[in-house]
Amino acid sequence: SGPLEKAVGKYKFKRFSAGPGLKKARVPAGGPAAPLSVTPADPAVLEFSVTGRCQLNCRFCINRGGTEPEPRALAVKLLAALKERRPREVIFSGGEPLLNPALLRLMDLARRTGCGRLAVFTNGLKLEDKNYARALKEGGLDALEFSMHGGRKEVHDAVCGGVAWETALRGLENALSLGIDVRINCAVTPINAGKLGETALFFIRRQ
């Protein structure tokens, strides 16, 4: 089934089924950094992969151990995709897109070519640095697709395959304090499937 979205205060909760459907997703426009990715349902949204690198090893992720294209090559591909699609929104993805030092330049390129809204998929770890989060905001970032897979440390970290909970929460608070629109993404896995209500309540109560 498709994404189930529920707007709750500052957050929009998106739930994806981490099942066979993910394996049929298309190559995002930036490829080959991330071989496969979830395709946005809206054709006016361009998902553009900027790296295959990530600090975590999420159990559901189909992008494991990717590379990072050269910045100029990414810029050329982005311009071509923008010209072909003329999207209303660009979502930068990966891997963990915040690991690519060229991200701010690519955001600026998208904005200068007329894209109205910029978003980034993220695990939130780099946003612990509030100065970096502020630089993203000042660089034109409108929204974060923020990956949080549990309402407790042991659940989130078990899904992520690494120690991420406290750092991600600090990144989340920094983003919200700067007025960045946050959309919580929770991938449903056998580890957290029975705890979705608990996860939603945790984030609702943090408003």
Side-chain angles (χ1 to χ4, degrees):
S1 60
L4 175 65
E5 298 188 9
K6 182 180 181 182
V8 185
K10 296 179 183 177
Y11 307 106
K12 285 184 181 177
F13 288 90
K14 279 190 177 180
R15 186 173 65 190
F16 292 95
S17 171
L22 292 184
K23 297 178 182 178
K24 299 177 183 177
R26 66 173 174 79
V27 177
L36 296 170
S37 181
V38 177
T39 305
D42 187 345
V45 176
L46 170 69
E47 182 185 337
F48 190 84
S49 175
V50 298
T51 185
R53 296 188 296 131
C54 185
Q55 312 98 313
L56 300 175
N57 188 31
C58 294
R59 293 175 180 270
F60 62 87
C61 188
I62 52 179
N63 176 40
R64 296 181 180 272
T67 60
E68 188 167 283
E70 189 270 330
R72 180 176 174 80
L74 274 175
V76 169
K77 287 184 177 182
L78 178 58
L79 278 172
L82 290 168
K83 182 177 180 180
E84 177 185 355
R85 295 274 298 275
R86 300 191 181 279
R88 169 179 46 81
E89 178 177 5
V90 174
I91 306 178
F92 293 97
S93 65
E96 171 51 47
L98 300 188
L99 291 179
N100 190 329
L103 178 62
L104 283 167
R105 297 196 298 275
L106 293 169
M107 287 171 52
D108 180 63
L109 179 60
R111 184 68 84 188
R112 286 190 289 109
T113 52
C115 180
R117 183 175 173 84
L118 301 178
V120 173
F121 279 108
T122 184
N123 58 34
L125 300 186
K126 282 205 67 175
L127 298 172
E128 182 185 29
D129 179 353
K130 193 167 185 177
N131 288 330
Y132 179 67
R134 183 177 291 108
L136 289 171
K137 172 72 173 178
E138 293 173 352
L141 180 70
D142 297 296
L144 290 166
E145 299 278 354
F146 211 108
S147 298
M148 296 298 294
H149 308 300
R152 287 182 281 130
K153 171 182 170 59
E154 57 268 30
V155 177
H156 180 73
D157 286 358
V159 175
C160 289
V163 179
W165 173 252
E166 292 92 349
T167 305
L169 282 182
R170 287 191 289 271
L172 177 62
E173 293 302 325
N174 284 341
L176 290 171
S177 71
L178 292 167
I180 299 172
D181 180 30
V182 173
R183 303 185 289 213
I184 297 291
N185 288 345
C186 179
V188 183
T189 76
I191 295 171
N192 65 4
K195 304 174 180 66
L196 297 179
E198 159 187 300
T199 300
L201 284 173
F202 175 83
F203 290 104
I204 291 168
R205 288 167 177 166
R206 290 184 72 85
Q207 295 182 69

